[in-house]
Amino acid sequence: VLRRSRIHDCGSSYGPPQFPNDSGVHGIYAEFLRDGADADSYSAILEDNLIYRNHNRGIQLYPDTDDALIQFNVLDQNGANLNIGSQWNLGIASERNLIQNNILTDSVLDGLQAGGFVGDTSEVLGNFPPPGAGVPNFGNVVTGNCISNLTYPNELYEGYGFTQSQNIENQPPQYANRGAGDFTLQPGDPCYGKGPRNPGPTAVRLLRLDATAFDGGVRVAWRVGTEIGVVRYELLRRGPGGAMRLLRSLKAHGRVGGATYAVTDRRSRVGAVYVLRAVTTTGVRTLGRATAKGA
């Protein structure tokens, strides 16, 4: 099971294809999965995840993933959001996968251009042989999703080996802040009810944020009064040119009564600028900013 996770920017420095038929670098790559002797009927469950800006596939099922359940995820601005595949020359294929209630938006699809990545050509790609003698019904179902591409509105589906039905098409969702990784939707949005489900209320209250310089660097400390639904904290430091870069990520304790955290940055001095963010079950929230001062 992969649940309530962020998978993003994998292969961001990979560049163009490195060899013929290069499929690139993917967010989630699932292969050779089978259902085991457990209570459910699935080989894998991928749900309530945010999968975005990965260099190539958001999710790649290749060449032989059977009986996976993929639901309530956001797949946004990956090279291509979903690929269901096979190696039929070897007699193996992905079968009976159920893809439902996801949001798939704005794949890059550079495979539509000369020199692009093989397979990055549609939001949903079925890499299977066409129907014919000796070709089975692979049983993959893509249903009840919200699928759109503003640049390539006619490239939502391609290939064989899956059926698609009851999808909301080319009605783009209005994400709260896509650039900051906040894919929250408001009631009335065409895709509302798809994508990650709200596991409950979130609340985080920052009481104190200090950055104190000393001989060995800077100590950044903060205290929160409550942290309901907080997954982790991200501390960013301003780098050359003013860009904020991730310095450290700390798992949240999840205490209703609050908690204290601290990070030592041994590469900075007085004047260093830090930003603290909370990653919650519903998005990302900036809590505060601090400039390092002398003790």
Side-chain angles (χ1 to χ4, degrees):
V1 176
L2 180 65
R3 180 179 293 129
R4 296 195 185 102
S5 298
R6 287 177 180 268
I7 301 95
H8 62 94
D9 296 296
C10 297
S12 57
S13 60
Y14 188 72
Q18 306 294 305
F19 50 85
N21 295 321
D22 184 5
S23 70
V25 180
H26 314 311
I28 297 174
Y29 197 131
E31 59 180 339
F32 300 112
L33 297 183
R34 298 290 186 272
D35 182 35
D38 54 3
D40 63 52
S41 58
Y42 302 109
S43 64
I45 299 175
L46 311 178
E47 62 183 6
D48 299 302
N49 300 295
L50 301 174
I51 307 160
Y52 56 99
R53 293 197 309 260
N54 297 291
H55 196 268
N56 297 101
R57 318 286 195 266
I59 298 177
Q60 167 105 332
L61 308 180
Y62 180 85
D64 190 6
T65 292
D66 294 350
D67 302 301
L69 174 63
I70 300 170
Q71 63 176 359
F72 296 107
N73 303 284
V74 165
L75 294 93
D76 179 60
Q77 294 183 319
N78 299 289
N81 280 323
L82 175 64
N83 186 310
I84 314 168
S86 68
Q87 277 189 289
W88 196 238
N89 61 317
L90 300 179
I92 56 177
S94 298
E95 301 182 71
R96 301 179 303 278
N97 296 289
L98 176 58
I99 298 98
Q100 63 181 7
N101 294 314
N102 304 279
I103 303 175
L104 289 76
T105 43
D106 295 327
S107 294
V108 177
L109 304 185
D110 82 342
L112 296 173
Q113 312 301 323
F117 281 87
V118 60
D120 282 4
T121 52
S122 64
E123 290 291 327
V124 180
L125 174 65
N127 181 12
F128 295 86
V135 177
N137 175 4
F138 297 101
N140 298 297
V141 176
V142 179
T143 184
N145 303 281
C146 194
I147 307 175
S148 63
N149 194 305
L150 288 174
T151 304
Y152 301 106
N154 296 321
E155 303 295 346
L156 302 188
Y157 314 103
E158 181 185 349
Y160 306 99
F162 69 94
T163 60
Q164 59 87 9
S165 65
Q166 299 179 317
N167 296 303
I168 300 167
E169 298 175 353
N170 287 324
Q171 298 184 48
Q174 301 302 306
Y175 297 128
N177 191 338
R178 171 190 260 171
D182 185 351
F183 296 92
T184 305
L185 301 178
Q186 297 300 316
D189 191 280
C191 298
Y192 189 76
K194 314 296 183 184
R197 296 161 289 187
N198 187 347
T202 64
V204 55
R205 182 165 58 98
L206 182 67
L207 299 179
R208 179 175 57 84
L209 173 61
D210 300 311
T212 305
F214 63 101
D215 288 343
V218 175
R219 184 177 186 271
V220 184
W222 64 95
R223 179 165 181 77
V224 292
T226 187
E227 48 180 6
I228 300 172
V230 180
V231 178
R232 67 180 182 275
Y233 296 98
E234 294 180 342
L235 184 65
L236 295 84
R237 180 183 63 203
R238 188 167 65 189
M244 301 303 296
R245 300 184 182 277
L246 181 65
L247 174 65
R248 186 79 180 274
S249 177
L250 295 181
K251 183 178 179 180
H253 298 316
R255 296 171 183 164
V256 175
T260 300
Y261 301 84
V263 170
T264 298
D265 178 10
R266 300 193 179 279
R267 296 188 176 182
S268 292
R269 298 292 183 266
V270 171
V273 176
Y274 300 88
V275 168
L276 178 65
R277 301 193 305 200
V279 179
T280 74
T281 53
T282 58
V284 181
R285 177 182 167 190
T286 298
L287 298 180
R289 177 187 296 258
T291 301
K293 300 178 180 178

